[in-house]
Each structure stands twice: as structure tokens, then as C-alpha cells.
Amino acid sequence: MSAKKKKGIDVLPNQNRLELRRTIALKVYDCVCSRLAMKEKDQKRLMHQLFYGIEGDEDSMSYLDLCLKGEGDFEGLFEVTGNEGQKKLKEIFCRRSGKFYLGLQINKSSLERVYLKGSEVVNGRNLYDQATKSIANLKKALSFMEKYVDMESGVVKQSGLEIEDVIQKILHDFFKYENNSLTGVFYGIDHYLGPDFRYISDTNLFR
């Protein structure tokens, strides 16, 4: 099924919009879990700050902005296309046909709004809930990884498989198992496999 079009432009499906935001939420939660123990309300406050950045502080990092640039931990979700160097969401992460570009369909407004229509934006509580609910799916996706990657060395078991081949296989396995949302799989696969096949010991999510 093709994504709906508006004036000749593919419209980002709501499911992809939510999955991308949950991807950021997981990264932000990972950062929070790396800190000293803190109360849940303080975790939510910090998640809000990390998601948006601290207003008035130019040195404060916004993981939302980082994703919208396709940089850092989010670089592997996008590919550069065209002469102008536009970045679009890789097809393996789109469960509908269409081309979805950073700065066009994937923008700050689309990722920060709670609902597709409406002006309410996500806060620390929303991000915390999304991240913690996604961890179970992330664990399952990583369990599928064991079929394709040696969990001790991080080496791909089957000769000739590239990173995107492994990602595609895990996404396929997960979809067959869940036949539902792939919540949390983006960040788990791309960041913890990554170009150098980093494994789960790199994260604080499950400690």
C-alpha cells in the first residue's frame, strides 16, 4: 500500500512518525539511566531537557534536533540522496512505500506533537512512558539478533551479510512474531548493532 500523497509529496505515515519519536525517547532514556540514581519525576524532567535541549543554553544538546539532522546515533536511520545531499529515511524502516525526507515530512512539528492533528507537544512524562514500554520490544529484537550475530564478539555469523541485511532479517523476524508495531526496534537495531556491531553492554537500558 502506498503512502497517501499531498500535492505530489509522500505523507509520513503516523506509525512511522511515532516510531521515530520513540526512537529518540529510547536514546534519551539511555542517557538518563547512565546518570546516578534519581527519582522518577527527576528522570522525566531530565528526559524533557535532553529531548528539547535547555532553552537559552546554546551548549545544551537536543536529541530531537540531532535526529532531525540525521547525525550521531540517528545517522544510520537515514541515507543521503540526490545532488543536494538530502537525507531520507531508509526504505527498510518504512513499512509503506514512499520517500520521507528530513526537513520535509520529518520535521520538528511532526515529531514533537502528541497527535498527528493538534498542538499538544510531548513532555518528559510522555517520553518516559514511551521509552519504558518500548524496552520489552527492544529486548525481543535483540534476542532475534542472536541468530545472525555472535553475541560475544559482535561478528556476523553468516559470511557476506552486511549491516542492512541483518537489520532486514531482524525486522522480518520481529514482525512475524508481533505482527504489530515495531516500537523500539529502530534504535535497538541501528544503535546496538551499528556499523561496528556494538552490543547491548554499551547501554544502560537494561541495568
Side-chain angles (χ1 to χ4, degrees):
M1 181 183 297
S2 298
K4 294 180 180 179
K5 291 180 178 287
K6 182 177 181 181
K7 297 182 179 179
I9 299 175
D10 294 320
V11 177
L12 182 69
N14 189 51
Q15 191 62 45
N16 286 104
R17 182 183 75 90
L18 295 175
E19 288 171 352
L20 281 170
R21 187 169 68 224
R22 286 189 287 255
T23 297
I24 307 173
L26 276 168
K27 172 57 187 174
V28 168
Y29 188 59
D30 186 16
C31 293
V32 170
C33 290
S34 69
R35 309 291 180 93
L36 295 175
M38 62 180 71
K39 295 180 180 179
E40 184 177 308
K41 66 176 183 179
D42 294 325
Q43 289 183 322
K44 294 174 181 178
R45 175 183 54 78
L46 182 55
M47 289 187 71
H48 184 277
Q49 292 177 343
L50 291 172
F51 185 80
Y52 289 106
I54 301 174
E55 187 175 355
D57 184 350
E58 296 181 357
D59 295 326
S60 173
M61 174 180 288
S62 163
Y63 281 95
L64 172 59
D65 289 345
L66 196 64
C67 180
L68 292 173
K69 293 176 182 177
E71 298 176 352
D73 294 310
F74 308 104
E75 182 179 4
L77 298 176
F78 305 96
E79 58 186 351
V80 178
T81 181
N83 297 328
E84 298 180 1
Q86 289 181 299
K87 294 181 180 180
K88 72 181 183 70
L89 187 64
K90 289 181 178 178
E91 291 185 7
I92 57 172
F93 297 128
C94 301
R95 285 180 285 112
R96 292 185 182 182
S97 60
K99 297 179 180 180
F100 310 116
Y101 293 91
L102 287 174
L104 188 57
Q105 301 99 327
I106 304 172
N107 53 53
K108 183 176 181 180
S109 176
S110 66
L111 295 187
E112 72 177 359
R113 280 180 291 152
V114 175
Y115 304 107
L116 191 59
K117 296 181 179 179
S119 58
E120 182 182 359
V121 297
V122 295
N123 54 35
R125 176 180 55 79
N126 302 137
L127 296 169
Y128 179 89
D129 291 344
Q130 290 165 13
T132 52
K133 290 177 181 177
S134 297
I135 289 176
N137 285 346
L138 179 54
K139 286 181 177 179
K140 190 63 185 180
L142 289 169
S143 73
F144 289 133
M145 188 174 78
E146 296 179 358
K147 294 192 294 184
Y148 311 109
V149 178
D150 184 284
M151 306 306 268
E152 294 294 328
S153 65
V155 175
V156 179
K157 294 179 179 179
Q158 184 176 334
S159 176
L161 281 185
E162 301 292 339
I163 175 64
E164 292 196 0
D165 298 322
V166 176
I167 291 174
Q168 186 66 64
K169 287 179 177 295
I170 298 173
L171 286 172
H172 180 69
D173 289 344
F174 192 93
F175 190 73
K176 285 197 302 182
Y177 169 78
E178 187 70 16
N179 195 26
N180 202 336
S181 170
L182 298 181
T183 304
V185 175
F186 283 178
Y187 182 66
I189 291 175
D190 183 67
H191 181 69
Y192 299 122
L193 276 179
D196 55 353
F197 294 98
R198 287 171 292 181
Y199 180 50
I200 197 63
S201 59
D202 291 341
T203 183
N204 299 280
L205 287 173
F206 305 116
R207 294 177 184 171

